[in-house]
Each structure stands twice: as C-alpha cells, then as structure tokens.
Amino acid sequence: MSQDEAKRNAAAAAMEFVESGMTLGLGTGSTAAFFVEFLAEEISDGLDVRCVPTSVATFEQAAALGIPLLPVEQVERIHLTVDGADEIDPHACLIKGGGAALLREKIIANASDHMVVIADESKAVETLGAFPLPVEVSPFGFTITAKKVFDALKTSGVDQPIVKLRESPVGKRPLVTDGGNYILDCRCKEIPSAQAAALALSVVPGVVEHGLFINLARTIILGDDEGAQILEFEY
Ligand code: 5RP
C-alpha cells in the first residue's frame, strides 16, 4: 500500500462533510494538501466556500489553486476544519505539529463547529508518545523554557523525556514557525496521560502552545489502500 494513496483516500472521504456556503479551516501537511486539491476541483465545479488556512504553506497552495480565502480577522464562524495529525489515540486525542503549524491549527480547530482529522491508518496508536510531541515556545529564554518543559512532562508521568530544539531543514539554526516562535520536540516514548501533560505544559511561561489536541476532533477519517474508515466522537 502506498501511504500517499491512504492519505488521498482519507482526504477524499472528508469531502462529504463539505457543503456550499461553509467557511472552512484548511489544515497543514501532506494529507491536508490532498484535501486542498480535492476542494479546488469541487470549487471549479461550482462549490461555494470560503477558507482560512492554518499556515503560510497552506495559504500558498490554496491561493495558487484559486481557492477563495478569508483573512482570519474577518472570520465570524468556521463551520468545518479539515486537518491531518501525527498520532491519534482511541479517544481522538491527537499529537499535531509535525509540520510546525500547531499554534494556528489549534486556534482554527478550537474556533470551528466541527474538526475532521484525516490521516493514513498508521497514525492510529493505542497510546500517544512515540511521535515526539512538538511544543511551540517563545525564542526568548527558550533554554530555560526547555528545562521547565522537561519538568512538566516528568511531573505528568512521562518517564524520561528528551527535549530537543527543532532545527531548520536549511542550515544549523532553529526552525522558526509562521508565528516567529521555536519548536521543542519532546521525545516521550509514551505519554501516560495526555490530559495531565497538556495541563502541565500549558502553565509553563514561554510555552506558546503544545501539540496535544484534546476533545477537538469530532470525526477521524483513517485512509487505507481500499478507502477510508470514518469514526465519530462526542464530547
Ligand atoms: C502540521 C501537522 C500535520 O497535520 C501533521 O504533521 C500531519 O502531517 P502529514 O499529513 O504530512 O502526515 O500537524 O503541523
């Protein structure tokens, strides 16, 4: 099975949630990019939607495809957001931020009536944590913040976290997010309580946002080589 085919199948299945007249949040990453392509095709066939991208990369893709975009400041209601994920647990708790867009992704997801997550089935896990948890931090004092992030994760029950500054793919310097911040990637192996970790991280000064998305995704679409499985959640 090609992972891309599974991502594409998940993205295609998300189109059934889209209706004319909606304002949509557009996620970030390779799976979300497939959704943006499908959406552009439907728009050229007459679908009437307006969209808010969650990153500069998604903005550029959507603009190049002629998708109508709204500045986030003009958005009054977001009916639906479709986004990818790095890990998904059985309660629809997510790790996001592999593409460094977690802050904008969480703002838009949290403001949406409905968040649909699209992913290939390999993203479904029993317990979160094999994927390093991204934590977006202020550049000022980031080495101090990194120690406090380590402490917070330990307090929440993570055994031996390893906290590492994410580097830019071009050159040995910190990766800078669309919001001008840094990312700490936290290797946890296993996060025993996503709720406890989220709470502990959220009170660390210097932490702008963390990549744990809890009680946000109402629909999870897992793609495979044959199609996609749709799971619904209520909170
Ligand atoms: C970006 C994200 C992405 O949604 C996540 O990394 C999944 O990406 P992909 O669809 O390429 O596997 O959270 O910040």
Side-chain angles (χ1 to χ4, degrees), residues 92-178:
C93 294
L94 316 172
I95 287 184
K96 283 186 53 57
L102 65 103
L103 174 60
R104 293 186 186 188
E105 289 171 335
K106 199 180 277 187
I107 291 171
I108 297 301
N110 189 54
S112 302
D113 297 349
H114 185 178
M115 181 193 196
V116 172
V117 170
I118 51 177
D120 67 87
E121 61 182 358
S122 73
K123 304 288 183 70
V125 297
E126 269 312 304
T127 308
L128 299 177
F131 189 92
L133 174 65
V135 177
E136 183 157 349
V137 297
S138 163
F140 180 86
F142 77 91
T143 53
I144 296 170
T145 307
K147 289 189 186 117
K148 296 292 180 186
V149 163
F150 173 90
D151 292 345
L153 288 169
K154 274 218 89 154
T155 307
S156 80
V158 176
D159 194 18
Q160 273 304 330
I162 298 172
V163 179
K164 198 164 176 279
L165 182 68
R166 191 181 300 182
E167 287 182 353
S168 159
V170 280
K172 257 197 159 298
R173 52 195 154 89
L175 178 136
V176 178
T177 68
D178 289 346

Side-chain angles (χ1 to χ4, degrees), residues 7 28-32 83-86 96-102 105 123:
K7 289 178 180 187
T28 296
S30 55
T31 320
D83 201 349
D86 299 299
K96 283 186 53 57
L102 65 103
E105 289 171 335
K123 304 288 183 70

